[in-house]
Amino acid sequence: MSTDPTSTSPHDQQVAAVRAAVAAVMDPELRRPIGELDMVRAVAVSAERATVSIALTIVGCPAADRIEREVRAAASSIPGIEEVDVEVGVMSPAERTALVERLRGGTRRMPFGPDSLTRVIAITSGKGGVGKSTVTANLAVALAARGLAVGVIDADVHGFSIPALLGLVGDDGLPPQPTRVGDLMLPPVAFGVKAISIGMFLPPGAPAAVAWRGPMLHRTIQQFLTEVFFGDLDVLLIDMPPGTGDIAITVGQLLPHAEVVVVTTPQAAAAEVAVRSGLLARQTGQRVVGVIENMGPLTLPDGTRLDLFGHGGGETVARALNASSAERSPNADAPAGAIPGPVEVWGSVPLSAAVRSGGDSGVPLVVSDPDDPAARVLEDIATRLSSRPRGLGARQLPLTVT
């Protein structure tokens, strides 16, 4: 008989193995192991039967069935376990509060500030109808497919479309409502992308229009940035409304360090107004990093090129923004990032019927038809974005010398 007090019996080892397997199950909404979230209450093993008690975050948790199923599978994977009983409970208010505080990191400040390692990119345009939201959705999915943690904020409150483009629509035609844990909102996930939109909060029934003015719009964007739990993101894409209105100013104020990508069509009229959205971004301190030309020239089967919306709009926007930058002399009082580097055209996405059909079906083109010429351009742009990893350069670290 062993006298080592640290030794464990085969039974204890089996219990520990079951607990470890169950603790590794991921919460599909919080994207963290349930053991790390203190959701595993108890584990017991008797003969070939394991009994696992877990506590979900809220009553009616949308992920309850999935979590229970994966807990059962995890426990069953341990040698010697033939039957599994899963007892499902709910966290107490105090436990929920503690979880929320832990997720927040003990602070209520906006998680995407200047010291954040998340790359924040606002996708903007001068006018509507240029495919800005479609570009945003496809880039988000392409980035997530590369293994990046990606979030999307649908800031186009009056013309939201991100839920439909990502297939976040139920049988009733409505987007799913985010799960609430305390005062945190957990964004729905599609194609590996966490997304939030005002469309997820509208009442069921007949289609409703959002008729809000400045203060309400400002508050909505602020809540999306501070009360939605995205977790540790590599990239946050913001689908901006077209033009230079209240939301553009709000995002500029809240995220002056964000990078901006301007979307235009080749048409001269679209390019002219697209320049204005880039200029406004600079006025708030944001940096315009690139231009994407959408609905560009299409090569027909016989090899001829169809310039349905003209050509050269992307280059026109880039030249105008570069000329505007050259006219400005460095000013010590200018906001950080206000004096940008050269603006380049990141790609011309050719006109494609598959883009439209992918948007209508809720399956982005980069997934539904990755060999389409438009998908290949979008993938190239995503590669360009993903090639610049998060870094600690120019960031102050919280070091204390003792």
Side-chain angles (χ1 to χ4, degrees):
M1 181 177 179
S2 173
T3 58
D4 182 2
T6 63
S7 66
T8 56
S9 67
H11 174 268
D12 291 340
Q13 292 174 359
Q14 191 176 43
V15 171
V18 172
R19 178 178 287 276
V22 168
V25 170
M26 297 293 291
D27 183 297
E29 293 182 304
L30 291 171
R31 295 297 175 109
R32 293 191 183 180
I34 63 173
E36 181 182 321
L37 300 172
D38 292 336
M39 293 172 65
V40 182
R41 287 276 174 85
V43 174
V45 175
S46 177
E48 297 178 340
R49 179 187 295 271
T51 302
V52 181
S53 299
I54 60 174
L56 302 179
T57 52
I58 60 171
V59 176
C61 173
D65 290 342
R66 177 174 170 179
I67 293 174
E68 181 178 350
R69 184 171 61 251
E70 293 186 0
V71 164
R72 191 180 304 278
S76 299
S77 69
I78 302 304
I81 301 298
E82 300 296 332
E83 298 181 60
V84 178
D85 293 328
V86 181
E87 300 173 350
V88 181
V90 180
M91 288 183 173
S92 67
E95 289 172 327
R96 253 191 317 273
T97 299
L99 174 61
V100 169
E101 290 304 313
R102 191 159 67 251
L103 292 173
R104 287 188 184 277
T107 178
R108 289 179 175 268
R109 68 182 179 85
M110 203 257 288
F112 304 111
D115 294 330
S116 169
L117 293 181
T118 299
R119 188 176 182 189
V120 181
I121 303 173
I123 312 292
T124 187
S125 68
K127 63 191 293 293
V130 301
K132 167 185 51 61
S133 298
T134 299
V135 167
T136 302
N138 276 276
L139 289 179
V141 172
L143 289 168
R146 285 163 170 75
L148 299 181
V150 182
V152 173
I153 290 179
D154 189 353
D156 193 353
V157 174
H158 295 125
F160 57 87
S161 57
I162 288 295
L165 292 171
L166 291 177
L168 287 169
V169 179
D171 295 336
D172 56 1
L174 298 174
Q177 290 197 353
T179 301
R180 290 180 178 269
V181 179
D183 58 357
L184 280 185
M185 295 178 280
L186 309 183
V189 181
F191 303 102
V193 175
K194 298 178 181 180
I196 197 73
S197 170
I198 195 63
M200 299 171 181
F201 300 90
L202 298 182
V210 179
W212 293 346
R213 298 179 115 175
M216 282 290 287
L217 297 173
H218 179 90
R219 176 59 178 155
T220 298
I221 301 303
Q222 191 173 46
Q223 284 184 292
F224 283 173
L225 289 169
T226 58
E227 297 181 17
V228 176
F229 180 71
F230 285 103
D232 184 22
L233 294 181
D234 293 299
V235 181
L236 175 66
L237 298 179
I238 304 179
D239 182 31
M240 299 289 291
T244 56
D246 289 332
I247 292 180
I249 297 171
T250 285
V251 172
Q253 291 172 339
L254 296 175
L255 300 167
H257 58 287
E259 298 169 302
V260 174
V261 174
V262 179
V263 177
T264 183
T265 64
Q267 187 179 10
E272 179 183 351
V273 294
V275 173
R276 300 172 196 164
S277 64
L279 294 178
L280 175 68
R282 284 181 177 167
Q283 290 177 24
T284 62
Q286 295 173 328
R287 187 164 66 93
V288 181
V289 294
V291 176
I292 298 174
E293 183 182 87
N294 195 31
M295 305 181 194
L298 166 68
T299 301
L300 300 175
D302 63 0
T304 60
R305 195 170 87 155
L306 174 62
D307 296 347
L308 187 62
F309 292 101
H311 63 276
E315 291 290 350
T316 298
V317 174
R319 280 197 305 270
L321 291 173
N322 284 325
S324 172
S325 175
E327 292 172 0
R328 299 179 63 183
S329 58
N331 183 342
D333 296 327
I339 307 301
V343 177
E344 300 178 354
V345 178
W346 283 3
S348 178
V349 183
L351 193 66
S352 170
V355 173
R356 190 272 309 159
S357 60
D360 288 345
S361 66
V363 182
L365 180 68
V366 294
V367 175
S368 64
D369 194 354
D371 292 327
D372 185 90
R376 290 199 293 267
V377 174
L378 290 164
E379 288 284 3
D380 288 344
I381 296 171
T383 298
R384 181 169 187 155
L385 283 172
S386 62
S387 65
R388 179 180 168 187
R390 301 188 295 174
L392 295 174
R395 289 181 171 86
Q396 293 184 351
L397 300 179
L399 298 178
T400 302
V401 179
T402 58

